[in-house]
Amino acid sequence: MTPLLMGVVNVTPDSFSDGGRWDTPDAAIAHGRDLITEGADLLDIGGESTRPGATRPLVEEELGRVVPVIQALAAEGARVSVDTMRSEVAEQALAAGATIVNDVSGGLADPRILDVVAATDATYVCMHWRGHSDRMQQLASYDVPGGVVAAVRDELCERVDDARAAGIPDERIVLDPGLGFAKKAEHNWALLAGLSVFRSLGFRLLVGPSRKSFLGSLLAGPDGSPRSVDDREAATLALTVLLAQEQVWGIRVHDVRASRDALRTLDRWEQG
Ligand code: PMM
């Protein structure tokens, strides 16, 4: 089945790929509408940048960024996900019309988020995470038998246990290996090559490779300088196609139009 395309709407001044481009509610709403027109199945609306080294906004700032955008886009019929680690933000986002909580901390940053999700019908995206952005790259060590794939699998299973204990049924849980979050480039590649391990856990999978720095280092120039963020789209599209072949449930992307074209092409190929 063709994966769902989750279009990213970062209502932030400082996200690594598109920070500052849609950081007013009106600009973000217009961007969300454009992504729907381009073929997004879901919109992921976030008010906190998680790029390495980022500092956290106040909860009031995060609420002020995402709630009006969610309200407007959900009212127009968009299927909306809120990208937040905070229970208060999840709660208000769900009240504003979001139906998916995308928690990049998998319940570790604010465990009450699990209770908020459990009390609704919302889908819970449980991503692998080890710590906030200011220190996550120091936590990128997976020196255990089975390496990063086994470690991420085991840590995600612990997060699932907590989500279940809070009352979220398995059908409402989506797992994400968390590319780039406390991961070095080699870890991201190992996780992509090991996706079948995650698939065998029986949950839907979401993956977010779009424009991330492991693609910048893969495509580095002869002097070793990483390929710029704006010039990683062809590599992102290659991964979109490969992830579709891995039968993931969703792919989180910035350039929805390009990824939709790639998925349409793959779909047509598969029809023969
Ligand atoms: N990556 C980012 C933010 N949110 N959510 C999920 N579920 N998976 C991801 O890989 C993910 C995410 C960081 O990327 P951005 O700054 O471009 O939004």
Side-chain angles (χ1 to χ4, degrees), residues 36 38 46 70 72-73 80 108 123 127 137-139 147 156 164 169 172 206 212-213 227 237 269:
I36 294 285
E38 291 171 3
I70 292 171
L73 292 168
V80 171
L108 285 173
T123 295
M127 199 191 81
Q137 291 318 98
Q138 298 156 35
L139 304 170
L156 272 180
R164 284 174 172 155
R172 288 210 268 128
L206 175 72
K212 285 193 174 160
S213 66
R227 179 74 67 81
L237 290 178
W269 168 282

Side-chain angles (χ1 to χ4, degrees), residues 6 8 10 12 14-18 44 48-51 83 102-104 125-127 176-181 206-212 252 254:
M6 175 185 264
V8 179
N10 283 325
T12 56
D14 56 345
S15 287
F16 78 94
S17 58
D18 54 358
D44 190 35
E48 171 173 1
S49 167
T50 47
R51 79 182 152 75
D83 187 341
N102 174 22
D103 176 5
V104 299
V125 177
C126 177
M127 199 191 81
D176 184 330
L179 299 180
F181 288 79
L206 175 72
V207 185
S210 185
R211 300 181 181 170
K212 285 193 174 160
R252 185 178 179 280
H254 299 89

